């Protein structure tokens, strides 16, 4: 199983999304819940935003983390100093763990990049004990990411390729209202609850916003790599104009909403 997320460099991902994942992680943990002595699985750990936030709880017994990307796995392993944490490369749709191995299985900003997201949820259910919790959170690309839509809608106005990219980006799996909840219910989870979590993405200036995209990180960066040099320059200029919005370059703050869902394994 592949992932639809493009990553070249862990530091580039950190600038693109990792710093915002770290802001979202505490809110997600508050929604998913924790209890002393539990064993937790982090599915799609990336560079470890959720993994290392979980480790702030000294009462957890163990934290396992997996990611499809060897780049992310290596970066997370380099950061790890906690003996309770085990990080490995694995597929979210074929988790390398026994049935009922964990008290909770959590996925932070990953299910929308898994082509068979329902299968990943089924695997999370399988490895979680009866009475345990499965929870996930994904960005609302269509209606909840003002900073990213700023670029998406700008490039969609420039070309047919931009319009096609917008359609793919805004309608990835699990992003529509109620979609993740329906999937959780279809996989047999009980007491399923869906809610919204919000953070703000604060940028120092346009360069802070644009650097990881221009380097080819993530879906927007991948789109940039498909453009000829002249079109890349044109795209950067019009996105800069959208960012600045008629004012001098400098700090900007954008609200970003994510869908969060949790359920109990029967």
């Amino acid at each position: 199983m592949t992932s639809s997320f493009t990553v070249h460099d862990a530091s580039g991902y950190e600038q693109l999304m990792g710093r915002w994942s770290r802001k979202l992680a505490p809110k997600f943990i508050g929604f998913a819940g924790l209890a002393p002595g539990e064993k937790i699985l982090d599915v799609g750990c990336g560079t470890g935003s959720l993994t290392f936030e979980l480790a702030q709880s000294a009462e957890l017994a163990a934290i396992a983390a997996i990611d499809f990307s060897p780049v992310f796995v290596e970066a997370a392993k380099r950061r790890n100093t906690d003996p309770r944490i085990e990080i490995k490369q694995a597929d979210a749709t074929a988790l390398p763990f026994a049935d009922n191995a964990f008290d909770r299985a959590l996925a932070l900003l990953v299910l929308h990049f898994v082509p068979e997201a329902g299968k990943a949820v089924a695997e999370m259910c399988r490895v979680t004990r009866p009475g345990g919790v499965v929870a996930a959170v994904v960005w609302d690309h269509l209606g909840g990411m003002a900073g990213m839509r700023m670029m998406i809608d700008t490039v969609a106005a420039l070309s047919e390729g931009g319009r096609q990219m917008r359609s793919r980006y805004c309608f990835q799996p699990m992003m529509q209202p109620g979609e993740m909840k329906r999937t959780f219910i279809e996989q047999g989870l009980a007491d399923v609850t869906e809610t919204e979590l919000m953070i703000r993405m604060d940028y120092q200036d346009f360069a802070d916003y644009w650097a990881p995209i221009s380097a080819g990180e993530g879906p927007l960066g991948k789109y940039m790599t498909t453009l000829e040099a002249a079109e890349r320059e044109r795209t950067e200029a019009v996105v800069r104009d959208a960012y600045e919005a008629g004012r001098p370059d400098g700090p900007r703050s954008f609200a970003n909403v994510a869908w969060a869902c949790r359920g109990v394994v029967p």
Side-chain angles (χ1 to χ4, degrees):
M1 180 61 61
T2 60
S3 168
S4 62
F5 189 88
T6 301
V7 57
H8 300 290
D9 179 77
S11 62
Y13 169 80
E14 281 294 303
Q15 188 175 4
L16 176 72
M17 193 55 63
R19 51 181 166 169
W20 315 126
S21 300
R22 289 195 297 276
K23 291 181 71 172
L24 185 62
K27 292 175 179 281
F28 178 49
I29 291 171
F31 172 73
L34 290 179
E38 287 189 331
K39 296 179 180 180
I40 310 295
L41 174 62
D42 178 2
V43 177
C45 64
T47 53
S49 298
L50 178 60
T51 304
F52 298 119
E53 185 65 31
L54 286 166
Q56 297 301 310
S57 173
E59 296 180 324
L60 290 180
I63 303 164
I66 67 100
D67 200 278
F68 189 79
S69 166
V71 175
F72 284 156
V73 170
E74 181 58 32
K77 284 183 174 180
R78 285 198 302 268
R79 290 180 58 193
N80 184 36
T81 59
D82 192 320
R84 297 172 300 164
I85 297 174
E86 180 183 7
I87 304 166
K88 64 175 69 176
Q89 184 181 7
D91 187 334
T93 64
L95 295 171
F97 304 105
D99 296 357
N100 309 328
F102 299 97
D103 298 289
R104 297 175 201 262
L106 312 181
L108 176 78
L109 304 177
V110 66
L111 286 186
H112 48 315
F113 294 116
V114 179
E116 294 185 58
K119 191 173 181 179
V121 174
E123 276 291 274
M124 292 170 72
C125 293
R126 178 185 64 79
V127 302
T128 303
R129 64 168 174 81
V133 171
V134 171
V137 61
V138 301
W139 292 124
D140 178 2
H141 279 186
L142 178 66
M145 295 195 78
M148 297 299 104
R149 281 299 299 267
M150 177 180 67
M151 175 183 172
I152 290 289
D153 290 331
T154 298
V155 300
L158 295 178
S159 70
E160 177 59 28
R163 285 188 287 276
Q164 292 176 7
M165 189 267 287
R166 178 173 62 181
S167 180
R168 292 192 301 270
Y169 184 84
C170 290
F171 294 97
Q172 289 173 266
M174 304 291 105
M175 289 185 172
Q176 302 311 301
E179 183 180 3
M180 194 157 42
K181 183 176 182 178
R182 288 192 299 272
T183 300
F184 274 42
I185 292 171
E186 288 169 359
Q187 296 303 328
L189 288 160
D191 301 325
V192 177
T193 301
E194 187 177 74
T195 192
E196 299 173 15
L197 304 176
M198 192 195 84
I199 66 163
R200 297 197 71 88
M201 292 182 176
D202 299 306
Y203 298 96
Q204 297 176 11
D205 51 26
F206 179 71
D208 187 28
Y209 172 89
W210 188 248
I213 296 173
S214 65
E217 298 295 341
L220 305 187
K222 182 179 180 180
Y223 171 76
M224 290 298 296
T225 66
T226 68
L227 304 179
E228 298 292 336
E231 190 63 19
R232 286 199 300 272
E233 291 180 8
R234 180 187 181 212
T235 300
E236 178 177 350
V238 294
V239 176
R240 175 187 287 275
D241 184 64
Y243 177 92
E244 294 176 353
R247 298 292 180 90
D249 189 14
R252 300 291 190 272
S253 181
F254 302 99
N256 287 267
V257 177
W259 294 111
C261 192
R262 69 169 182 253
V264 177
V265 178

